[in-house]
Amino acid sequence: MSCSIADLKKGERGIITDSSSDSIPLKLLEMGCLPGNEVTLLQLAPFADPMYLNVNGSHLAIRKETAALILIDKIDE
Amino acid sequence: MSKQINVALIGNPNTGKTSVFNALTGLNQKVGNYPGITVDKKEGVCKLSRNLKAHIIDLPGTYSINASSIDENVVVELLLNKNDKDYPDVAVIVSDVENLKRNLLLFTQIKDLKIPSILVINMADRMKRKGISLNIPLLEEKLHTKIAVVSTRKNEGISELKALIEDYRNISTEPCLDTSTIDNTYFESLKKTFPDQELYKLWLVICQDVNFGKVDRNAPDISEFKTKSESDIKRLQQKETIKRYQFINNVLKEGQTIDKSKATDLRSRFDRVLTHKVWGYVIFFAILLLIFQAIYDWASVPMDFIDASFASLADWVKEVLPAGVFTNLLAEGVVAGIGGVVIFIPQIAFLFLFISVLEESGYMSRVVFLMDRVMRRFGLSGKSVVPLISGTACAIPAVMATRNIESWKERLITILVTPFTTCSARLPVYLIIIALVIPEGSFLGFSYQALTLMLLYILGFGSAVFAAYILNKVLKTKSKSFFVIEMPSYKVPLLKNVGLTVLEKTKTFVFEAGKIILAISIILWVLASYGPGDFNNAETIVTAENPNLSEVELEDEIASFKLEHSYIGIVGKAIEPAIKPLGYDWKIGIGLVTSFAAREVFVGTLATIYSVGSANDNEDEDTIKSKMAAETYSNGAKVFTLASGISLLLFYAFAMQCMSTLAIVKRETKSWKWPIIQLIGMSAIAYIIALIAFQFLK
């Protein structure tokens, strides 16, 4: 099933399938948000936004609206 | 004569690049500005051997050489311009052992510019705890470089790094990625058009010009060559990034092993508490409270000492030097003026100490994470928290700290409201007035005076946030909302880094503010010591009017008559009608006028005016505070009462009285429109609120 990082729950993981949306800045890609890389949702701020992620070994936080643009395949535990 | 080579320190933010810089240069460093922009330029000198010295530049932290801010752009412009006098003979790329994969992206880019590049793997002391092991010879071979494994915390690896820098001629300049593999057709045609140029450099110039416009850098003129649209270029950049990561993944597959079972995960344990829905905020506010207590309580001891020392210094100058105009200028103008600057040092040092510890430890990013959603409601970004907090030290670095806010609208609003936060220049004004009008005593262990100060800080933040809310509704600027922040690992701050930051920032502040204050003090003293007409016949007039006074009383009377009829007195009297409804007399009026250059001048101004206006020089150690407390109107009523004091506090809380901030806002927004709006808007609010407060309380 195709979903985005915004659909992850705390502790869940996924593999990025697509991050080519024009609204995703280059900086985010350079930080590792590229197809094939693994992403884990580590923490959520109050109101579930922003989201604190581990992407490809990098720890970063992005807003939910950006997270919704990065498509993933969820990894079922 | 010894030879000097240029070394550029480059790295991602949070890799300990500055620690490496500090370890290499020690105190041999200075901070300047890049010409034309307000990016800090840190450079230093390091002795490599008897006849070789390294001139080291600590470039702004960046994730890649595709710049997205003016700080990052400094890095690219330097690396693209071989004629720059700082163009590096060798680049030292600092990486963090825990984020090697991401850090290597930047390394491969710089390597491909064919600059001899050394890789520093920093924070090696954390390897064991994280279960990381590296095959250094293999990595060196695959990356065609030399590697220094460094731990600045344990002071290991620095001499090895120096040896590698010294031996820079033996570093291979073989690239990591063949640029043309990104898009064969495109790069082939590029190669044909510019046969003598480096392909990767050309490509960077193209990407760069898309984002930053043409800069004169002696690079080939690529304006003729436009076969791609902006989004096509971005697609190619994405492809390049993927290719680079493929290369890096291959290198690390063999060169790095991570045994997760050996890794201890302090990060998630700390995060669970520090970013907790409730505890996160509780801890944040407790830290803020601690900072205010420190500024008020702990700093007051050295401050009282400085205040008293300068009072006795002024007396000493008068005693030792022969009486005359020059001695008066020195004692009443210069010494009083410098005292007004030096007294800031303890508080500024405390503020920068806290801010630097919060940033170094990695905690500040957690605050940004926690506050983003809340701040967005007011049109701000989570990243606005950092400028708003550092605005409590000084609005100038705070306005510059807004650069990493991605959305222009959020950034503009942050710049506009930052001057509402209580900067350290307001502190001396607050402190002296609180000490004069707020009674002593305590409530729940906190003194009334400390609580008043805390309220003023809350008022500052509150009005910043409220103003942001209004601006967010009013401003029509449309801009993409985007936000990304790295969450660095937690670290115990390095004493050396914190110490150097505090030293550097305090020094800059004191010298910058000091120049203005000193100049204004001298001008004021001259204006207060000379005057037209009646001024020169003061003695005759006063003696004629008051024939029955004793000699001492007469002298006092003459001194204040002179001040009233001096040039400055005339100015003060002229504006008195406008400020009388606020509860101020003409002397405070002069303070207000000079404060528009910089707020901190207020106390110095009053100090100068009151020392000129009192004749009893032989009294011991007159502090500024006791002079102000003794100030009365002609009918005997005190000038500084609760009502006029509160009114003054509120005026200073809101008024935009800092030329340097206005200048920096102009630079950062590239328009006079915003600083003018700030000046008029904030000053009008200040006048109205101070007026209401005085009329209500009196």
Side-chain angles (χ1 to χ4, degrees), chain B residues 23 30 69 108 118 199 221 230 233 235 403 430 459 499 680:
Chain B
K30 59 170 190 192
S69 73
T108 65
I118 296 168
L199 203 52
D221 182 16
E230 213 170 298
I233 286 189
R235 205 135 290 155
R403 273 184 205 145
Y430 285 177
L459 179 71
I680 297 175

Side-chain angles (χ1 to χ4, degrees), chain B residues 200-216:
Chain B
Y200 184 57
K201 205 167 169 176
L202 275 176
W203 167 233
L204 274 182
V205 171
I206 291 170
C207 299
Q208 211 39 30
D209 285 358
V210 167
N211 294 320
F212 282 88
K214 261 201 80 59
V215 192
D216 177 32

